Amino acid sequence: MNDTAPGPGVAPCPQCGTPEPLPIHYGYPEPQHIRAALRGEIALGGVVHEPDPPAFECRNDACGYTFSA
């Protein structure tokens, strides 16, 4: 689970170019995850059973593209 801010090596969104994508937190969110999502620090990905779910989501609401770094 990735719920920390992206480091300097994380590329901008490959779809629209918006910098600083949001890390996606998977699993049942605890209160601190909900607060971080409300502050715009992380995206909540829900409970995922994919073998390799995306790690980041574009912070541009009009885009919303998800990708792995």
Side-chain angles (χ1 to χ4, degrees), residues 22 35-42 59:
L22 298 172
R35 288 190 295 272
L38 290 172
R39 290 190 304 262
E41 297 171 356
I42 65 170
R59 68 175 54 249

mmCIF file of all heavy atoms in Angstrom, residues 22 35-42 59:
data_model
loop_
_atom_site.group_PDB
_atom_site.id
_atom_site.type_symbol
_atom_site.label_atom_id
_atom_site.label_comp_id
_atom_site.label_asym_id
_atom_site.label_seq_id
_atom_site.Cartn_x
_atom_site.Cartn_y
_atom_site.Cartn_z
ATOM 1 N N LEU A 22 -1.201 11.852 -7.136
ATOM 2 C CA LEU A 22 -1.548 11.392 -5.791
ATOM 3 C C LEU A 22 -1.244 9.910 -5.641
ATOM 4 O O LEU A 22 -1.638 9.111 -6.501
ATOM 5 C CB LEU A 22 -3.038 11.604 -5.532
ATOM 6 C CG LEU A 22 -3.543 13.036 -5.576
ATOM 7 C CD1 LEU A 22 -5.064 13.046 -5.503
ATOM 8 C CD2 LEU A 22 -2.944 13.843 -4.453
ATOM 9 N N ARG A 35 -8.787 11.432 6.295
ATOM 10 C CA ARG A 35 -8.376 12.828 6.463
ATOM 11 C C ARG A 35 -7.379 13.240 5.387
ATOM 12 O O ARG A 35 -7.482 14.330 4.821
ATOM 13 C CB ARG A 35 -7.794 13.050 7.857
ATOM 14 C CG ARG A 35 -8.853 13.033 8.960
ATOM 15 C CD ARG A 35 -8.287 13.497 10.288
ATOM 16 N NE ARG A 35 -7.266 12.605 10.807
ATOM 17 C CZ ARG A 35 -7.481 11.552 11.577
ATOM 18 N NH1 ARG A 35 -8.712 11.241 11.936
ATOM 19 N NH2 ARG A 35 -6.487 10.821 12.011
ATOM 20 N N ALA A 36 -6.407 12.366 5.080
ATOM 21 C CA ALA A 36 -5.416 12.676 4.037
ATOM 22 C C ALA A 36 -6.084 12.813 2.673
ATOM 23 O O ALA A 36 -5.725 13.692 1.882
ATOM 24 C CB ALA A 36 -4.333 11.600 3.999
ATOM 25 N N ALA A 37 -7.065 11.984 2.398
ATOM 26 C CA ALA A 37 -7.782 12.073 1.120
ATOM 27 C C ALA A 37 -8.578 13.372 1.047
ATOM 28 O O ALA A 37 -8.600 14.034 0.001
ATOM 29 C CB ALA A 37 -8.698 10.867 0.945
ATOM 30 N N LEU A 38 -9.212 13.768 2.142
ATOM 31 C CA LEU A 38 -9.969 15.016 2.157
ATOM 32 C C LEU A 38 -9.060 16.234 1.987
ATOM 33 O O LEU A 38 -9.473 17.250 1.435
ATOM 34 C CB LEU A 38 -10.779 15.133 3.453
ATOM 35 C CG LEU A 38 -11.949 14.166 3.578
ATOM 36 C CD1 LEU A 38 -12.555 14.230 4.973
ATOM 37 C CD2 LEU A 38 -12.998 14.460 2.518
ATOM 38 N N ARG A 39 -7.814 16.119 2.455
ATOM 39 C CA ARG A 39 -6.840 17.207 2.279
ATOM 40 C C ARG A 39 -6.208 17.190 0.886
ATOM 41 O O ARG A 39 -5.438 18.077 0.549
ATOM 42 C CB ARG A 39 -5.732 17.107 3.336
ATOM 43 C CG ARG A 39 -6.177 17.444 4.743
ATOM 44 C CD ARG A 39 -4.987 17.557 5.687
ATOM 45 N NE ARG A 39 -4.168 16.361 5.711
ATOM 46 C CZ ARG A 39 -4.233 15.386 6.619
ATOM 47 N NH1 ARG A 39 -5.114 15.474 7.607
ATOM 48 N NH2 ARG A 39 -3.439 14.343 6.550
ATOM 49 N N GLY A 40 -6.501 16.172 0.090
ATOM 50 C CA GLY A 40 -5.936 16.073 -1.248
ATOM 51 C C GLY A 40 -4.516 15.552 -1.281
ATOM 52 O O GLY A 40 -3.771 15.811 -2.224
ATOM 53 N N GLU A 41 -4.132 14.760 -0.275
ATOM 54 C CA GLU A 41 -2.773 14.225 -0.188
ATOM 55 C C GLU A 41 -2.660 12.824 -0.777
ATOM 56 O O GLU A 41 -1.582 12.414 -1.194
ATOM 57 C CB GLU A 41 -2.311 14.207 1.267
ATOM 58 C CG GLU A 41 -2.237 15.594 1.876
ATOM 59 C CD GLU A 41 -2.001 15.565 3.367
ATOM 60 O OE1 GLU A 41 -1.963 14.464 3.971
ATOM 61 O OE2 GLU A 41 -1.864 16.647 3.955
ATOM 62 N N ILE A 42 -3.743 12.064 -0.768
ATOM 63 C CA ILE A 42 -3.761 10.707 -1.325
ATOM 64 C C ILE A 42 -5.095 10.483 -2.022
ATOM 65 O O ILE A 42 -6.041 11.243 -1.823
ATOM 66 C CB ILE A 42 -3.558 9.612 -0.247
ATOM 67 C CG1 ILE A 42 -4.726 9.579 0.741
ATOM 68 C CG2 ILE A 42 -2.222 9.750 0.459
ATOM 69 C CD1 ILE A 42 -4.719 8.379 1.674
ATOM 70 N N ARG A 59 -3.901 14.232 -10.099
ATOM 71 C CA ARG A 59 -4.621 15.125 -9.190
ATOM 72 C C ARG A 59 -5.553 16.079 -9.924
ATOM 73 O O ARG A 59 -6.339 16.781 -9.309
ATOM 74 C CB ARG A 59 -3.676 15.872 -8.262
ATOM 75 C CG ARG A 59 -2.781 16.875 -8.909
ATOM 76 C CD ARG A 59 -1.923 17.692 -7.920
ATOM 77 N NE ARG A 59 -1.149 16.905 -7.011
ATOM 78 C CZ ARG A 59 -1.380 16.838 -5.686
ATOM 79 N NH1 ARG A 59 -2.324 17.542 -5.131
ATOM 80 N NH2 ARG A 59 -0.632 16.082 -4.914
#
